[in-house]
Amino acid sequence: EAQVTQNPRYLITVTGKKLTVTCSQNMNHEYMSWYRQDPGLGLRQIYYSMNVEVTDKGDVPEGYKVSRKEKRNFPLILESPSPNQTSLYFCASSPLPPLRNYGYTFGSGTRLTVV
Amino acid sequence: GESVGLHLPTLSVQEGDNSIINCAYSNSASDYFIWYKQESGKGPQFIIDIRSNMDKRQGQRVTVLLNKTVKHLSLQIAATQPGDSAVYLCAEGLRGGGGADGLTFGKGTHLIIQP
């Protein structure tokens, strides 16, 4: 089944403890992206990647890192998580620039709570 | 399930009635628009898209209308069913705009189906 898989689905962590949220897609898509979704703010892009080894900042990149060493994987790294990073996170992928091809296919989300 | 928007506008309709969900977009230069459906605990799923050279586009039970004069987008769902209960997100973008990725999401509308 074609899909975007994120892990974990739920995570509770403490301030300052490094964590990684994994994302993998099996559709051979070039484009991948991370979003966070917060009440009253909607979906906001954190980082995106046009291809292997090519990443760019989105609208809210502060406090996050990403890497794209392989086409299928696009992990999101929080080096020192803080409570304001408590949110619902979505990974997404697209075969072409999203604005030319139906936007993104989204994963099921990761609910992160930082205490 | 996940609560993705504690402050979302809500539309409540009777099962079998038609639903109209509205979206005011922000950038008059945007030339591509997408509607997504987000069910509780899941990521957004593509419903229908429209380009700015069109005023209307129809899919299965759904119609998207675009009014560029007032920067307004609407999604019409015919004969609403219980499975249509979800948060509906509109997204806008400018193809060929700065960077490879420029999809901006609205905050969403929560559609509730009354039996």
Side-chain angles (χ1 to χ4, degrees):
Chain A
E1 180 187 354
Q3 60 186 358
V4 178
T5 303
Q6 298 176 227
N7 280 296
R9 286 296 308 275
Y10 300 91
L11 178 61
I12 301 175
T13 190
V14 296
T15 299
K17 184 177 181 182
K18 180 179 178 180
L19 67 90
T20 299
V21 183
T22 64
C23 174
S24 181
Q25 50 92 4
N26 61 0
M27 298 169 280
N28 200 38
H29 284 176
E30 303 280 347
Y31 286 74
M32 297 188 74
S33 183
W34 276 102
Y35 287 85
R36 60 177 289 173
Q37 188 173 39
D38 302 289
L41 296 175
L43 277 163
R44 294 178 294 167
Q45 191 176 50
I46 303 171
Y47 269 94
Y48 66 96
S49 169
M50 291 187 283
N51 210 328
V52 174
E53 301 293 1
V54 181
T55 63
D56 279 296
K57 295 178 180 179
D59 298 320
V60 288
E62 294 77 21
Y64 304 94
K65 287 174 59 177
V66 292
S67 69
R68 188 91 183 273
K69 294 186 172 63
E70 306 165 282
K71 197 173 190 179
R72 65 184 296 132
N73 296 322
F74 190 45
L76 179 69
I77 302 156
L78 285 72
E79 294 272 3
S80 182
S82 62
N84 65 11
Q85 292 179 297
T86 292
S87 187
L88 180 58
Y89 290 87
F90 289 101
C91 181
S93 73
S94 176
L96 296 171
L99 294 181
R100 298 180 196 167
N101 181 71
Y102 312 120
Y104 283 108
T105 298
F106 284 86
S108 296
T110 295
R111 169 65 73 183
L112 172 65
T113 302
V114 183
V115 298
Chain B
E2 302 291 346
S3 175
V4 298
L6 298 179
H7 309 292
L8 287 179
T10 299
L11 176 65
S12 183
V13 299
Q14 292 290 127
E15 183 178 348
D17 287 352
N18 297 335
S19 300
I20 300 177
I21 301 168
N22 297 306
C23 175
Y25 63 91
S26 57
N27 186 352
S28 57
S30 291
D31 59 5
Y32 185 55
F33 306 87
I34 307 174
W35 278 102
Y36 286 92
K37 175 185 181 183
Q38 187 175 15
E39 296 176 277
S40 181
K42 297 183 180 180
Q45 293 179 287
F46 173 88
I47 303 174
I48 192 168
D49 62 349
I50 189 168
R51 286 170 169 73
S52 60
N53 61 353
M54 302 172 71
D55 298 321
K56 178 180 180 180
R57 189 162 189 227
Q58 288 184 293
Q60 187 177 16
R61 273 203 315 122
V62 295
T63 300
V64 56
L65 297 177
L66 175 62
N67 185 331
K68 295 181 286 293
T69 302
V70 294
K71 295 191 290 185
H72 185 267
L73 192 67
S74 68
L75 177 70
Q76 301 178 359
I77 305 174
T80 311
Q81 303 167 358
D84 294 328
S85 287
V87 172
Y88 288 83
L89 303 170
C90 63
E92 62 175 301
L94 175 60
R95 290 176 297 157
D101 184 305
L103 206 58
T104 301
F105 286 84
K107 297 178 176 54
T109 297
H110 191 186
L111 178 64
I112 297 172
I113 311 304
Q114 306 281 3

